Structure formats: structure tokens, C-alpha cells
Amino acid sequence: MNLTVGQDMSLFQLIGSASLPVQLVMLLLVIASLMSWWYIFRKLFVIREAERQCDEFENVFWKGTDLNALFQSAAASRHTAGSMERIFEAGFREFMKHRRQPGMDTGTAMDSTRRAMRATYQREMDRLESHLSFLATVGSVSPYVGLFGTVWGIMNSFRGLSNVAQATISHVAPGIAEALIATAMGLFAAIPAVIAYNRYASSMDRLATRFESFMEEMSNVLQRQAGG
């Protein structure tokens, strides 16, 4: 009797004997969890690479490297360049285009340069922040999806009691157990996604601050060149 109960209450037996809606909920949560883990690891490498490229470019930029040479290097490696390097390239390209025009006002040239850097900054931030919304969605929705499976499983358990003369724990235990499995799977999908989203959102804020500071400093450097 103990062996039979142990087999009936095993995890895979409970999942296999669950009702179709609960099984669909579990399948959806498994897929969401796998996709969120994929994006978690993928975003981890993307952010680390972005930070490394920012460090390398800032070191080169503030060593006093000739801006024309730095621009040529950035333009040649456009497809492998970091976000900050692309912002620099866009701003310097726009600045030099206005400098070649005779009689161009310095203020107009600087405004156009800032707009070019800002547009590239927005594109880079959109690229770096891609799929973060998916993690936020999984983190916020998965517990409720698991709760739906929980409610459905408990409903089945109590509905089954109407067919028995005397209700015992053995009648409701499987249904409640499968309901709790759905809840656990919802939390398993949600918790890592929430933790990763909060961490990566903080990293995105730090990168955005670095980009904005660089754009201001870059504008000051170009302003001095234009004045000189």
C-alpha cells in the first residue's frame, strides 16, 4: 500500500495524471522558463561585452588620441564597434560634415552633432535593452499562470468529491498536489526572471549614464575645436 501511494504521488505521475488545462499551464510555464533562462545568459554576455568595449574606448579616447584617427578606426570597425564608439562616430561625422561647409555657424553645427549622437544613443540603448521586457513579463505573469493551474486543480479535486460517499485525504491529495506543482513551476519561472531583470535594468541605467556623460564631454571637446 505504501509503495502504491508513493508511486501515485511521484512528480511525473502527478504531472501525467493532471487534467489537460493544468498540463497546458505546466507546459507554458516550462517554455517560458526555458526562454527566460536563454535570454538571461544571452543578456549577461551582451552587457559584459558592452561594458568592456566602453572601458576600452574611454581609455583610448582620454589618452589624447587624434580624433580623426580615432574616427577612421571607428568607421573601419563599424560592425564590431561598441556602443560608445558608434556614438562618437556619429557625432564626429556630423561635426566634420558641418565644418566643411563655409560660413556654418558653430552653434548650428554643435546642435546637429548632439542630435546625431542622441539618435545613435537611442538606437544603442534599444539594442542593449532588447528582450528585457520579456523577462519582466515572465516575472510578473508566471505566478498568475501557475495560480490558474492551482485553482483548476483544486476545483477538480473538490468536483471529484461529489462522486464518493466518504471524502478522505487520498481523494483530494493528487489534485491538490498537481495544483501545488503548477504553483511551484510558476514561481520557478518568475523568480529568476525578476532577479535578472532588476540586475540588468540597473546595468542599463549605468551604461546610459556613461553614454550621456560621454556625449556631454564629447560636445565640449568639439566645441573647443570649433572655437579654436
Side-chain angles (χ1 to χ4, degrees):
M1 176 64 68
N2 291 335
L3 180 60
T4 302
V5 172
Q7 290 175 343
D8 291 342
M9 293 295 289
S10 67
L11 178 63
F12 294 105
Q13 183 70 24
L14 288 172
I15 295 175
S17 61
S19 59
L20 180 61
V22 177
Q23 289 181 337
L24 292 177
V25 166
M26 292 179 181
L27 178 61
L28 178 62
L29 291 172
V30 168
I31 294 174
S33 179
L34 292 175
M35 291 182 64
S36 65
W37 277 107
W38 164 256
Y39 288 129
I40 285 171
F41 285 110
R42 180 180 178 182
K43 191 59 61 179
L44 175 65
F45 293 114
V46 168
I47 292 176
R48 284 184 176 179
E49 181 66 12
E51 292 174 343
R52 182 190 65 81
Q53 290 175 329
C54 284
D55 292 337
E56 291 181 353
F57 181 75
E58 283 185 322
N59 290 334
V60 174
F61 183 83
W62 292 115
K63 282 181 180 179
T65 305
D66 180 66
L67 295 183
N68 288 288
L70 194 59
F71 170 75
Q72 295 297 330
S73 175
S77 59
R78 180 178 304 171
H79 298 292
T80 58
S83 298
M84 189 174 290
E85 196 169 358
R86 291 191 182 99
I87 293 172
F88 162 78
E89 180 197 355
F92 194 78
R93 183 188 302 276
E94 188 70 16
F95 176 76
M96 293 305 297
K97 181 176 69 175
H98 286 279
R99 283 290 298 271
R100 297 189 188 99
Q101 299 177 8
M104 174 59 64
D105 179 65
T106 301
T108 302
M110 292 307 305
D111 288 341
S112 181
T113 299
R114 292 188 185 95
R115 286 195 298 271
M117 288 193 293
R118 176 63 61 176
T120 304
Y121 160 81
Q122 293 293 345
R123 287 195 296 269
E124 292 301 315
M125 290 303 300
D126 289 342
R127 181 181 65 85
L128 292 173
E129 291 177 348
S130 62
H131 307 306
L132 281 185
S133 59
F134 177 81
L135 294 179
T137 302
V138 171
S140 60
V141 173
S142 293
Y144 296 103
V145 176
L147 182 60
F148 173 78
T150 300
V151 172
W152 193 276
I154 293 176
M155 286 172 55
N156 280 341
S157 297
F158 284 107
R159 189 164 53 238
L161 295 179
S162 62
N163 300 322
V164 297
Q166 184 177 2
T168 62
I169 188 64
S170 61
H171 292 106
V172 297
I176 294 176
E178 75 180 41
L180 294 178
I181 291 174
T183 301
M185 293 178 68
L187 294 176
F188 180 78
I191 292 174
V194 170
I195 294 174
Y197 174 80
N198 290 334
R199 178 180 176 182
Y200 295 156
S202 178
S203 298
M204 289 295 100
D205 290 340
R206 290 195 299 269
L207 282 172
T209 300
R210 292 181 68 177
F211 295 157
E212 290 174 349
S213 299
F214 174 77
M215 288 189 292
E216 291 297 325
E217 294 163 348
M218 179 68 180
S219 298
N220 293 335
V221 172
L222 296 178
Q223 183 76 43
R224 288 194 295 269
Q225 282 197 2

